[in-house]
């Protein structure tokens, strides 16, 4: 099928028609840039039962000034991607309402230019934290602290506060017309790191799911450490009193002493709770024969939720972050597959959770998010977790993996 | 009276006609933004004896790149507001010349994106300091230093280096057609602070005064500390050798050992003086029965000056900062009502000068600045200070409130 | 000769016709700015044998967002200047290929808004390091470290990460129609520094050379320290295995213990070498009777290279930085005349290499870069070095000037 070229008047865009329509929205190598752009099934001459549209804008207000966002409406879900913030996913909406995401006290989509990651002893990242999907990496991740070499590692690394240098949108010209948004985010510091991540978001028109397929490349001639946490955050409407999380995992332990008190009830959530702050659990996920693990979060009535599929050979650990404090503080839970837990890097090396990426090597990270919209959806997702578990139970380990007292 | 809609061609603006004409220039919540905008009495169909105009621009040069400014000409005064720098007032001009403001070595109106507040051990704020009105707060204020919890508190807080997320202009449709510029500046850091300040500048066409009416809201569900200093800075033409300050106050003490030597002559100013550096005095202002205190600065001939009215229940202390060093270093004095003096926060807690704002609470700060343009104006303002003082004298305390030696 | 005004439709530009055509591209003092601008010999009505053109653009992608670049094509060389990065020279191209410059792992021309110079203990500068000419100064230069007063001096100072506040282009209306790009870069921090550098790049149409003529002014009323290194960086195609550097110098010493091993072979270069990292040498340049010293870098076949002329009374020391690590790490050498070597400032004061600039004083720095395009060019340049040396040899000193062990 040939998609007709309808972009003759948009000089900056480079549609390339091979097996897909490709639109380069940003490319630092060629200084290609489009300020405002939109396409749709109709405009592309694609005759689908589910019309879709993709729009790119630049924001201009307050701390949002200079932030690029891309909104993808696949007919069922409306995703907001943020190229300027490491290709993070701000939120997912359905039927005009947010279904995935949360209400952070940080209301703007903050341009990294306004963020000093090392401020507050490495907590500057908190000035911009409000997305549904935040990549925490790749040079390091975890809580801030001075590493063994004397360098402060700021909270959760730098990638989410790194603008993408290349952004393109592809629409497959064959049914089901998969939409792919690719963004390249480079962590390049002379003599320090040369990690480049090609992020890919794939979504099919009319479906209630989307996938992340990232490729991290060590472009240096030397091996390097890397760490990544896919910090996936969900608040209202899924999170509520009585909401529940299911995870195919062999064991769970408390992150610290405070979390010991919540270990037994790790699967269920409180409503917004004053003085709760945050409780964190470390899980060891297990997978099906294809290597996939599954985590499911659903509401109290078990008729709305989200499932996350990920590969345990790529992301061998899982953090569950229960931040069920009051609504205004940011009532939210994080379901966070990663190479690493949320401890500072220096604590994770002895645990074997700071892997190496060889010179020139590539690492792949594949995740699938599915919005569950009915009791049947939720029930089936929970069953899928049970299938992986094969009637085993998650073992509760009462002691944290790391002794943070010294 | 109905103001006719003259903005049909400016699609981004949202004029709302109720009791006033309202123009939203910036709103992060709705992604409303206007790059360049201007209105005037004539354009609004307002038939006044004093024509006024209001213009909004975005600057594009050097460190000013991306800075929004609003110029308000009320027929007597021309004020320059800087939404990108926390709604600060850059300067006030009269008859084509600056009357309020000063000549800083910092010449550009610096975009906070180029400032790292924690640089130079917390002195990064000095890279952008050149305004007539700088709000120093609200999460903390004062000299930089490591707080008891180990966090570096950078000089004078973050609000002046925070772009406003909402900016709107209102013109009352009833005489005297008060012009109000509202700017919301949010200090939002996940788990750290959620202080939002709605700043309001009010000015009536044809008058030589304007007021600031700010409302600080603690949007968090927990009580928080706050501090604010309204750092109001005046250089030429008011400040000169023999210029004088009057303040309704019960006592004054030197900030540090250096200021002891200038205590007795605290009211008078030197001309530009090599090696003077800065001398700081801490005052306890007193108020009239309505709760208003008054400070007046005037030139040697006592025929030009500025008065500042403020409420002692809102801003219980007053700092006078005499920076009468050479012209090129920034010959300037600060008249600075605040909740706090300029010491680091950890020194002010024992003084009871780090107040608490409860969850959801609002604090109001109301100041009025009047440009004094004649001997009569000055004389009357000085008399008003005397009336509050009721023949009492400011008590001189020879020792600083804080022992900075350890 | 009168150059006709061809810019009637470009309202922001201010062509002034006296002895030259002058175009102000950026001026913070007057808020003059032009987003995109181009001129050429043809457009100016200049009838030259070598047509030239000058173009100014703003970049909009990734970390380049908001970066202004100026491209000057003099018919022989195409230079890319970066006003937003302290008027640095990104690269020089000839016949469509880069001749001067190098391949850094940092691929974008990074807006300083995205750089935190104090990050990684003062190594934030490395996030943007990729230019052919980087000015390292002027408030300080050298490796990061805490100075005697307790302040962290970040790597190589702040000027390269300071956007120019004034940029103008002049084309002489008399033959040979010298093109001059002037950029003013202000390091202004209240109470800390008021150093302003007027950088000038001069190039004549049709020539294979260009000059830098910078004037540093201490605009403060107090004396100040200053330091500057003209960090000039060359990789492929000139740098290769067997490439050679010649420098008119009286002595050379290793920067540190590691460089001791390469002292004897300081003139020749290795090819890209794994684990080489960097080797640094400190030279004392000498000059001809006119005060000019000369350094020459050429390829193995001695038919391509670059020469740098500089004045030893302005720039009394020379650093040779051999970073002949692998291609992907940034295979590059720096030929770096300066007031100072690359040690942290506190080590250079005892060496007398942290000079003073008096209040109001100006310091000039004049350098000339010539692209050598034939064996004759190279041979003559090497001869010129020999003439200054008068048959003396560079004395090898085996010990570093600074003992870095404590």
């Amino acid at each position: 099928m040939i998609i007709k070229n309808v972009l003759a008047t948009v000089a900056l865009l480079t549609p390339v028609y091979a097996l897909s329509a490709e639109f380069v929205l940003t490319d630092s190598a060629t200084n290609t840039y489009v300020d405002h752009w939109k396409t749709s099934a109709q405009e592309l001459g694609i005759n689908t039962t589910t019309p879709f549209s993709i729009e790119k804008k630049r924001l201009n207000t307050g701390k949002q000034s200079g932030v690029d966002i891309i909104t993808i409406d696949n007919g069922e879900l409306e995703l907001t991607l943020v190229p300027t913030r490491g290709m993070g996913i701000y939120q997912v909406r359905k039927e005009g309402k947010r279904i995935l995401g949360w209400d952070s006290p940080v209301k703007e989509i903050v341009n990294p230019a306004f963020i000093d990651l090392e401020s507050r002893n490495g907590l500057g990242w908190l000035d911009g934290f409000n997305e549904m999907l935040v990549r925490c990496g790749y040079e390091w991740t975890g809580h801030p602290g001075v590493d063994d070499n004397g360098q402060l590692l700021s909270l959760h690394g730098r990638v989410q506060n790194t603008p993408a240098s290349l952004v393109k949108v592809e629409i497959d010209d064959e049914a089901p017309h998969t939409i792919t948004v690719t963004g390249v985010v480079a962590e390049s510091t002379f003599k320090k790191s040369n990690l480049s991540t090609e992020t890919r978001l794939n979504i099919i028109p009319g479906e209630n799911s989307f996938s992340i397929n990232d490729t991290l490349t060590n472009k240096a001639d030397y091996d390097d450490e890397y760490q990544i946490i896919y910090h996936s955050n969900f608040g209202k409407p899924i999170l509520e009193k009585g909401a529940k999380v299911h995870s195919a995992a062999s064991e769970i332990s408390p992150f610290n002493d405070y979390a010991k008190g919540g270990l037994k009830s790790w699967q269920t959530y409180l409503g917004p709770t004053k003085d709760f702050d945050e409780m964190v659990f470390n899980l060891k996920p297990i997978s099906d024969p294809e290597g996939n693990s599954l985590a499911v979060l659903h509401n109290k009535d078990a008729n709305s939720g989200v499932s996350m599929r990920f590969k345990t050979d790529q992301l061998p650990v899982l953090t569950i972050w229960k931040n069920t404090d009051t609504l205004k503080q940011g009532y939210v839970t994080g379901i966070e597959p990663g190479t690493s837990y949320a401890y500072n890097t220096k604590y994770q090396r002895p645990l074997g959770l700071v892997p190496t990426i060889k010179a020139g090597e590539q690492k792949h990270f594949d995740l699938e998010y599915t919005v569950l919209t009915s009791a049947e959806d939720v029930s089936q997702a929970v069953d899928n977790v049970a299938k992986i578990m094969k009637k085993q139970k998650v073992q509760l380990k009462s002691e944290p993996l790391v002794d943070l007292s010294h």
Side-chain angles (χ1 to χ4, degrees), chain A residues 143-267:
Chain A
H143 288 186
V146 176
D147 202 2
D148 297 329
N149 65 0
Q151 183 187 321
L152 174 63
L153 301 181
S154 61
L155 176 60
H156 285 331
R158 292 157 54 104
V159 73
Q160 189 81 359
N161 285 282
T162 303
S165 53
L166 172 67
V167 181
K168 63 182 177 184
V169 174
E170 290 162 283
I171 300 107
D172 196 338
D173 67 348
E174 300 289 342
H177 304 295
T178 302
I179 301 162
T180 301
V181 180
T182 302
V184 175
V185 188
E187 294 174 79
S188 305
T189 306
F190 185 68
K191 284 197 184 295
K192 294 291 167 186
S193 76
N194 199 352
L195 299 175
S196 180
T197 306
E198 185 182 77
T199 70
R200 291 169 70 90
L201 177 126
N202 297 289
I203 188 164
I204 293 172
E207 299 215 345
N208 270 308
S209 64
F210 56 91
S211 69
I212 297 289
N213 302 99
D214 293 352
T215 302
L216 169 69
T217 305
N218 179 7
K219 293 192 155 188
D221 274 323
Y222 298 95
D223 300 352
D224 201 354
E225 290 180 342
Y226 76 100
Q227 291 183 285
I228 180 64
I229 295 174
Y230 284 87
H231 205 306
S232 311
N233 308 300
F234 310 105
K236 295 272 174 190
I238 299 175
L239 187 64
E240 61 184 349
K241 183 179 178 184
K244 208 167 171 189
V245 63
H246 305 256
S247 171
S250 58
E251 65 179 57
I252 184 171
S253 59
F255 180 83
N256 54 17
D257 286 348
Y258 176 54
K260 287 179 182 177
L263 181 60
K264 286 185 185 168
S265 54
W266 72 272
Q267 278 195 276

Side-chain angles (χ1 to χ4, degrees), chain A residues 267-305:
Chain A
Q267 278 195 276
T268 53
Y269 287 89
L270 299 177
T273 305
K274 192 106 189 260
D275 295 318
F276 184 86
D277 196 9
E278 61 181 31
M279 206 173 261
V280 180
F281 300 97
N282 296 334
L283 283 79
K284 291 194 184 170
I286 59 174
S287 56
D288 65 17
E290 285 75 44
N292 291 307
S293 191
L294 191 65
V296 176
L297 176 74
H298 64 71
N299 66 351
K300 187 188 175 196
D301 290 345
N303 57 14
S304 173

Side-chain angles (χ1 to χ4, degrees), chain A residues 70 190 342 396:
Chain A
I70 298 174
F190 185 68
L396 305 194

Side-chain angles (χ1 to χ4, degrees), chain A residues 20 25 36 48 87 93 120 129 138 171 222 237 284 289 306 338 340-341 375 402:
Chain A
S20 62
L25 306 186
H36 187 199
T48 53
M87 302 302 299
R93 288 158 63 89
R120 301 184 197 252
F129 176 46
Y138 288 86
I171 300 107
Y222 298 95
K284 291 194 184 170
V306 59
S340 314
Y341 294 118
V402 169

Side-chain angles (χ1 to χ4, degrees), chain A residues 256-404:
Chain A
N256 54 17
D257 286 348
Y258 176 54
K260 287 179 182 177
L263 181 60
K264 286 185 185 168
S265 54
W266 72 272
Q267 278 195 276
T268 53
Y269 287 89
L270 299 177
T273 305
K274 192 106 189 260
D275 295 318
F276 184 86
D277 196 9
E278 61 181 31
M279 206 173 261
V280 180
F281 300 97
N282 296 334
L283 283 79
K284 291 194 184 170
I286 59 174
S287 56
D288 65 17
E290 285 75 44
N292 291 307
S293 191
L294 191 65
V296 176
L297 176 74
H298 64 71
N299 66 351
K300 187 188 175 196
D301 290 345
N303 57 14
S304 173
V306 59
S307 72
M308 290 174 58
R309 188 189 309 273
F310 59 96
K311 293 185 178 295
T312 52
D313 61 336
Q314 299 172 346
L315 302 167
V317 307
L318 178 70
T319 295
I320 293 181
W321 172 60
K322 294 171 118 179
N323 195 73
T324 51
D325 207 291
T326 69
L327 287 174
K328 287 181 185 165
Q329 300 308 108
Y331 177 72
V332 58
T333 185
I335 315 287
E336 312 174 16
T339 58
S340 314
Y341 294 118
Y343 299 112
N344 183 261
T345 299
K346 74 182 164 204
Y347 293 119
Q348 303 211 56
R349 284 198 197 88
L351 301 177
L353 297 178
V354 185
T356 293
I357 181 166
K358 291 187 192 299
E361 194 182 0
Q362 293 194 324
K363 299 284 185 183
H364 301 280
F365 309 103
D366 301 293
L367 302 93
E368 191 179 53
Y369 297 78
T370 302
V371 175
L372 311 172
T373 61
S374 66
E376 291 68 31
D377 281 357
V378 171
S379 166
Q380 185 173 339
V382 171
D383 280 357
N384 286 339
V385 172
K387 275 180 200 157
I388 299 173
M389 290 296 286
K390 290 179 185 165
K391 296 184 184 170
Q392 290 181 313
K393 288 200 169 176
V394 181
Q395 299 288 313
L396 305 194
K397 303 281 179 176
S398 58
E399 288 303 313
L401 291 166
V402 169
D403 180 0
L404 295 167

